[in-house]
Amino acid sequence: EVVPTCERYAVRRLPFARLADGDVAFFERLMPGRVVTSEEEVQPFNVDWLKSVRGCSQLVLKPQTTAEVSQVLRYCHERNLAVNPQGGNTGLVGGSVPVFDEIILSTALMNQIISFDKVSGILVCQAGCVLERLNEYLEEQGFIMPLDLGAKGSCHIGGNVATNAGGLRLLRYGSLRGTVLGLEVVLADGSALDCLTSLRKDNTGYDLKQLFIGSEGTLGVITAVSILCPQKPKAVNLAFLGCQSFAKVLETFTTCRAMLGEILSAYEFMDEKCMELVERHLKLSSPVTDSPFYVLIETSGSNSTHDEEKLNNFLEQAMASGLVTDGTVATDDKKIKVLWGLRERITEALTHEGYVYKYDISLPVGKLYDLVTDMRARLGQSAKNVVGYGHLGDGNLHLNITAESYSHSLLDAIEPFVYEWTARCNGSISAEHGLGFKKKQFIHYSKPREAVVLMQQFKAMLDPKGILNPYKTLPSAP
């Protein structure tokens, strides 16, 4: 049983109004049949995917249109009721569930594709569209989404944008800050901001959408997205390789970037502990064994003969120079999916270990694995496992520490050590997961005081009553 977040972390409830019968009646008139009040049905919305934080909301609203979101927020603003926007609830930092009794505003029914332009590759859709569904829709038209992540089967595009999700394709297509062309957002007072442009180039005034990308639902509720989608590559190849040291993982990356250039679309790494957990808990089996490190390299291009030749030249070079000791290559969809599963499902395998302390960090690539080694030495027997994997091509390490159950003393041994270590390397304490509830107090390790003050001023301007996703992203005043 997950302890309510407010108890575990001793948070004080802010002076928001409490839900009354009249409020529920108003919402039921506004969207009959889409207001959830039974404790049993509300429960799943209160607990995060990791089962590490839990809220105490008594009400879930499921709007279908921007107009409904607008009316909900206007009402909540007038009544001073706090709101927790929620997409697929796959976040990893406690940002997607309430801390106290905030009303949950779910985008689950806002799942319509509005338009797709096959010439420009621009997709416009509602925020509640599931990432994998969008990708399937686009593939039929010869395109793909510019982002891909392990949670694709349940995460929503609105949540992806609100958290500026990174994932497995960032190396090739860049971040959502570049591929999102426009947004429709409802502000805290219920006013709708239509910046849903479908233009690649638009230099008229401040780029307001950037404020909401990565704002984790604290500045406005994203209701629709306009996003630039790349053409589906005609040829995709995957190499899954074993390396004997992290230095070789790095050297393999340098070589592969030089030799594969424009067709390189992903470079992921995992340590042997990750592989062991994936095999043990998910019964998956790796075609490459007995390596301290594993590397997954994906190429995507328009000419399979050309791509395969490049990849084979690279592999010959990597094998001959001893960078790689063993490996396998996949060209057909089925085998590619199986190999990606080994990397994508690490997060899932870790949840079978008990309680997971998750850290998502950007570091200079050369120092990436040192943090894992240092943490192993520091924690010794007090942790079950300390593992490292992630998007090496982007300098993004996922450091995960598992224990039988949550322990305050173990947390004290990890934090703030992990953040101090990262700050000394001028890294970021959150590469792609965001700050949510769990990391907001540590923002100063990555941002100067002046920057945090400016963020707080934006929050106060756009959400003067503080009703949107309170207790998240920005540090609470001392």
Side-chain angles (χ1 to χ4, degrees):
E1 181 59 16
V2 186
V3 184
T5 308
C6 53
E7 287 174 26
R8 174 176 288 170
Y9 293 92
V11 195
R12 291 240 302 278
R13 186 182 185 276
L14 294 170
F16 298 113
R18 294 198 184 263
L19 195 65
D21 292 346
D23 302 324
V24 179
F26 169 82
F27 295 126
E28 279 175 337
R29 282 196 303 278
L30 176 66
M31 40 182 146
R34 291 179 281 121
V35 175
V36 183
T37 52
S38 93
E39 199 177 324
E40 198 180 333
E41 286 180 80
V42 171
Q43 178 63 10
F45 294 89
N46 264 316
V47 184
D48 73 325
W49 183 80
L50 284 171
K51 299 195 168 36
S52 64
V53 284
R54 177 161 79 89
C56 309
S57 179
Q58 299 156 318
L59 178 68
V60 178
L61 303 176
K62 294 184 172 180
Q64 281 176 318
T65 64
T66 302
E68 285 177 347
V69 174
S70 210
Q71 285 171 285
V72 166
L73 288 184
R74 187 177 305 130
Y75 181 87
C76 290
H77 190 255
E78 279 167 19
R79 276 275 291 117
N80 195 32
L81 289 162
V83 177
N84 181 102
Q86 187 180 97
N89 194 13
T90 60
L92 300 170
V93 287
S96 57
V97 296
V99 176
F100 290 94
D101 54 349
E102 299 90 285
I103 293 169
I104 296 169
L105 183 68
S106 166
T107 53
L109 299 181
M110 299 184 75
N111 55 6
Q112 301 301 305
I113 289 170
I114 299 165
S115 66
F116 178 64
D117 182 328
K118 280 189 80 162
V119 178
S120 63
I122 295 167
L123 171 78
V124 181
C125 65
Q126 283 187 302
C129 292
V130 171
L131 181 59
E132 194 165 34
R133 297 289 85 76
L134 289 176
N135 207 58
E136 285 165 2
Y137 166 84
L138 288 170
E139 283 199 349
E140 287 168 17
Q141 325 257 350
F143 287 78
I144 57 169
M145 286 299 279
L147 77 158
D148 182 27
L149 30 147
K152 58 177 159 254
S154 37
C155 64
H156 296 181
I157 189 64
N160 295 152
V161 173
T163 56
N164 188 30
L168 307 158
R169 286 180 183 157
L170 193 133
L171 180 67
R172 177 66 170 273
Y173 301 117
S175 82
L176 288 169
R177 294 198 179 280
T179 50
V180 170
L181 303 177
L183 292 177
E184 179 183 63
V185 180
V186 178
L187 301 178
D189 65 359
S191 52
L193 179 68
D194 182 359
C195 292
L196 204 57
T197 169
S198 292
L199 302 168
R200 289 287 303 268
K201 301 173 106 170
D202 176 13
N203 272 353
T204 47
Y206 303 138
D207 188 1
L208 294 178
K209 70 174 179 289
Q210 294 298 349
L211 257 185
F212 301 98
I213 299 173
S215 67
E216 303 188 69
T218 61
L219 299 179
V221 177
I222 295 169
T223 51
V225 177
S226 162
I227 188 164
L228 181 67
C229 304
Q231 276 195 293
K232 184 183 178 183
K234 290 193 177 68
V236 176
N237 295 301
L238 203 66
F240 195 85
L241 315 170
C243 291
Q244 290 305 307
S245 68
F246 190 71
K248 297 208 162 149
V249 171
L250 291 174
E251 219 181 314
T252 305
F253 176 55
T254 316
T255 310
C256 116
R257 206 167 38 176
M259 294 184 73
L260 300 175
E262 78 290 349
I263 61 168
L264 178 64
S265 54
Y267 191 98
E268 300 285 313
F269 92 99
M270 57 199 272
D271 62 21
E272 59 187 338
K273 278 269 182 236
C274 291
M275 182 64 84
E276 190 189 300
L277 296 177
V278 167
E279 293 187 319
R280 176 152 38 104
H281 296 301
L282 306 178
K283 307 286 178 265
L284 301 181
S285 67
S286 168
V288 182
T289 52
D290 301 327
S291 294
F293 293 94
Y294 297 92
V295 168
L296 188 147
I297 297 169
E298 184 190 72
T299 64
S300 312
S302 53
N303 181 328
S304 55
T305 332
H306 164 265
D307 293 5
E308 279 174 37
E309 188 187 339
K310 278 192 126 158
L311 185 60
N312 289 333
N313 288 344
F314 157 71
L315 290 171
E316 275 171 31
Q317 163 85 24
M319 289 292 207
S321 58
L323 292 180
V324 169
T325 44
D326 190 7
T328 183
V329 174
T331 47
D332 70 289
D333 280 359
K334 214 170 156 195
K335 193 176 170 192
I336 286 174
K337 273 199 169 68
V338 170
L339 289 177
W340 262 120
L342 294 169
R343 161 64 188 88
E344 285 185 320
R345 295 181 66 192
I346 297 171
T347 317
E348 183 190 339
L350 283 157
T351 59
H352 293 276
E353 280 283 283
Y355 190 85
V356 189
Y357 301 83
K358 303 191 85 66
Y359 300 91
D360 153 51
I361 284 158
S362 272
L363 289 166
V365 186
K367 293 198 168 77
L368 206 64
Y369 202 73
D370 295 349
L371 178 54
V372 184
T373 319
D374 285 3
M375 194 54 95
R376 266 188 200 138
R378 179 178 170 87
L379 299 180
Q381 297 301 302
S382 58
K384 219 166 141 180
N385 271 306
V386 178
V387 307
Y389 64 97
H391 317 293
L392 189 117
D394 316 319
N396 179 186
L397 169 74
H398 293 314
L399 166 73
N400 284 244
I401 296 151
T402 62
E404 286 299 342
S405 58
Y406 173 79
S407 139
H408 207 74
S409 60
L410 183 55
L411 184 68
D412 286 344
I414 303 168
E415 298 174 10
F417 173 83
V418 63
Y419 300 131
E420 287 165 354
W421 199 103
T422 305
R424 277 199 304 275
C425 296
N426 300 315
S428 164
I429 65 160
S430 171
E432 58 177 5
H433 296 166
L435 295 166
F437 173 77
K438 293 182 185 173
K439 298 186 178 179
K440 59 173 186 156
Q441 294 300 116
F442 300 111
I443 192 171
H444 296 285
Y445 286 102
S446 289
K447 290 284 183 286
R449 199 182 59 83
E450 296 78 6
V452 177
V453 168
L454 195 56
M455 290 180 202
Q456 286 163 328
Q457 288 169 338
F458 279 133
K459 170 74 172 168
M461 177 182 68
L462 290 168
D463 181 14
K465 292 186 174 180
I467 63 166
L468 283 179
N469 222 8
Y471 322 103
K472 318 273 176 68
T473 307
L474 295 177
S476 34

